[in-house]
Amino acid sequence: MKINSRHLRSELVHSELANRINYAQCWEDEDVLQRALRVGPGDRVLSVCSGGDNSLRMALDGAEVVALDLSQPQLAVTELKLAGRLLPYEEHLQLLGLLKAGRRVGLYHRVRHDLSEASRAFWDANEATIRVGVLKLGRFERYLETFRTRLLPLVHRRSTVRAFLELGSLEAQRAFYEERWDRLRWRALFRMFFSKTVMSRMGRSPEQFAQVEGPVAEAFLARAKHAFTELPVATNPYLQWMLAGEYSDLECSRSYLTRAGHAGLEDAYERISLVHGDIETVLPRAGTMSAFNFSNLFEYVPPEHHRLLLELALEHSRPGARMAYWNTLVPRHRPATLADRLQRHEELSAELLGQDRAFVYGGFNLETVL
Ligand SMILES: C[S@@+](CC[C@H](N)C(=O)[O-])C[C@H]1O[C@@H](n2cnc3c(N)ncnc32)[C@H](O)[C@@H]1O
């Protein structure tokens, strides 16, 4: 694994976005991404890093991955996840805060030598985060925790939440949702908590809402209903974490947290490069790609900037390259002016969006290079 630090030119670098852990985990469904990009040995992927889970998944599946982020803390999180390969499986989980453990910082010191200088400096200054549990402590995860510990108990008992998360069929989920979950109080508090104002203050960054128009809570409520009634809850790691603050079954969590994933990290480590920088700087130097995971990057920028980034990606694409990205609230897809170079797959994209267990998204795009 290589770490390249660069002089960064994005304005965002100087904002608080770049100086803290915003996402300790990825909240975009790794299975959806892999069904869209279908990467494996022989592929080269440019992937927005965030919490690193989805980049690790593609490296575990055999692809060469360049995972980039303009935020050094996001790379430090991902490096720590990779460094866990040096520990036995259970200790790797403990290091990240998943099992009860009184010696997480001791585990950190056993893998500290594996980190780049920048990530080592970050974790040395943030040992308290490791002690409490890294995976809970991104800004977004803390927002989810506030939802789970402050708001959810006003609506449902823990036993009700547990009973719901253990249901074994969609019929049972739909009946439970109608009869026990979807109360007036649930809808009212949900609308309040997921309003643009509260989310900007507590969860997502104000930058993420700069391009958003109109009310957002109603859209999130409809998406939550879809996840509660149309997708199996017992195997949905994203919902399990949001409602219970843990994974009931690690084999249905994130690939790198499964036993097989842990065993595969040593090989994945050789296939992944973590690069510090913004996409405009990194992409021209990263070589030619067969796939791109743009996360939901494009909804942070105006349409014109989205088009320029797609053009840049096109310049560095192999023929037939696949591009995937999500939209939460801002509609973005390949503009008509690029129709002769980039093909949209609207039907498949909509189908994949419907399967997205992370469910907060309003759009998913698979686009392929012509
Ligand atoms: C777009 S955010 C969204 C996170 C995502 N929804 C998730 O669930 O993980 C993902 C990451 O993109 C990074 N980022 C934002 N703009 C970027 C840019 N221009 N170049 C590189 N990374 C960028 C942020 O620092 C953040 O860590």
Side-chain angles (χ1 to χ4, degrees):
M1 187 193 61
K2 301 182 285 294
I3 299 280
N4 308 328
S5 291
R6 304 183 185 290
H7 177 69
L8 308 175
R9 58 188 167 78
S10 166
E11 288 166 35
L12 283 175
V13 171
H14 301 295
S15 78
E16 57 171 340
L17 196 67
N19 299 322
R20 61 177 181 215
I21 301 172
N22 283 296
Y23 299 95
Q25 310 190 55
C26 283
W27 295 94
E28 290 158 350
D29 191 332
E30 60 174 64
D31 285 353
V32 165
L33 183 66
Q34 185 53 316
R35 277 177 213 136
L37 295 184
R38 303 199 304 232
V39 297
D43 280 299
R44 291 197 78 230
V45 193
L46 185 89
S47 176
V48 172
C49 189
S50 184
D53 309 4
N54 293 0
S55 303
L56 292 176
R57 161 67 182 268
M58 293 187 285
L60 283 168
D61 285 344
E64 190 187 327
V65 179
V66 177
L68 85 156
D69 209 298
L70 53 76
S71 155
Q72 175 59 44
Q74 296 302 145
L75 299 177
V77 166
T78 308
E79 266 196 87
L80 194 70
K81 291 176 180 179
L82 271 167
R85 78 192 186 285
L86 301 175
L87 298 170
Y89 180 53
E90 277 74 16
E91 290 185 339
H92 183 190
L93 301 176
Q94 287 173 346
L95 170 72
L96 299 176
L98 280 181
L99 304 178
K100 291 221 178 318
R103 53 196 184 96
R104 290 193 186 114
V105 174
L107 295 174
Y108 164 60
H109 281 274
R110 277 170 49 199
V111 300
R112 183 178 173 277
H113 66 276
D114 190 59
L115 304 178
S116 65
E117 213 174 301
S119 293
R120 201 180 305 139
F122 178 81
W123 287 120
D124 284 351
N126 288 281
E127 284 191 356
T129 301
I130 294 178
R131 192 171 297 118
V132 177
V134 173
L135 295 189
K136 313 180 216 176
L137 288 184
R139 186 166 187 255
F140 189 66
E141 289 76 18
R142 278 185 278 136
Y143 179 65
L144 293 177
E145 185 168 358
T146 306
F147 168 77
R148 182 175 60 79
T149 57
R150 304 267 176 83
L151 183 130
L152 199 52
L154 301 177
V155 189
H156 291 304
R157 292 166 195 270
R158 263 177 91 159
S159 55
T160 309
V161 176
R162 280 253 152 259
F164 175 60
L165 288 174
E166 284 168 8
L167 294 173
S169 74
L170 290 180
E171 291 72 41
Q173 287 175 217
R174 286 181 198 126
F176 197 105
Y177 185 82
E178 293 301 326
E179 290 157 23
R180 295 183 61 189
W181 194 279
D182 190 27
R183 299 186 175 159
L184 205 60
R185 184 182 273 214
W186 160 252
R187 291 196 291 269
L189 289 173
F190 188 99
R191 282 191 187 102
M192 187 266 296
F193 199 76
F194 291 99
S195 65
K196 210 188 306 188
T197 319
V198 177
M199 285 187 82
S200 303
R201 280 211 198 114
M202 294 180 63
R204 307 253 170 183
S205 307
E207 293 93 325
Q208 290 170 285
F209 289 94
Q211 304 290 317
V212 179
E213 287 170 19
V216 300
E218 214 55 47
F220 282 123
L221 193 56
R223 292 173 201 172
K225 181 177 180 186
H226 175 79
F228 283 37
T229 58
E230 304 298 329
L231 304 172
V233 289
T235 53
N236 183 340
Y238 304 93
L239 198 62
Q240 293 276 340
W241 190 280
M242 286 176 191
L243 297 182
E246 61 185 12
Y247 296 121
S248 58
D249 178 0
L250 283 162
E251 292 305 312
C252 302
S253 61
R254 316 304 182 103
S255 290
Y256 80 97
L257 291 174
T258 65
R259 207 168 269 282
H262 175 75
L265 279 180
E266 193 57 51
D267 287 341
Y269 177 82
E270 299 300 331
R271 288 191 284 268
I272 190 163
S273 308
L274 302 184
V275 184
H276 187 198
D278 64 82
I279 203 156
E280 293 96 326
T281 315
V282 173
L283 184 49
R285 303 177 196 180
T288 307
M289 301 292 160
S290 59
F292 297 81
N293 162 29
F294 289 118
S295 176
N296 62 334
L297 199 76
F298 295 141
E299 62 182 324
Y300 292 60
V301 298
E304 179 58 12
H305 196 159
H306 169 218
R307 185 178 63 76
L308 290 173
L309 286 172
L310 287 180
E311 283 179 1
L312 183 67
L314 279 163
E315 280 174 36
H316 299 277
S317 291
R318 291 184 192 164
R322 303 168 81 82
M323 303 186 185
Y325 51 99
W326 281 265
N327 306 321
T328 315
L329 296 158
V330 181
R332 290 273 183 274
H333 57 74
R334 177 278 279 144
T337 48
L338 292 178
D340 57 335
R341 300 173 70 193
L342 204 49
Q343 186 181 355
R344 295 184 66 199
H345 298 272
E346 288 168 76
E347 213 172 301
L348 177 58
S349 300
E351 196 183 313
L352 290 171
L353 179 69
Q355 298 167 8
D356 196 318
R357 297 166 301 166
F359 75 84
V360 297
Y361 300 95
F364 178 75
N365 296 284
L366 167 66
E367 295 166 358
T368 53
V369 175
L370 290 166

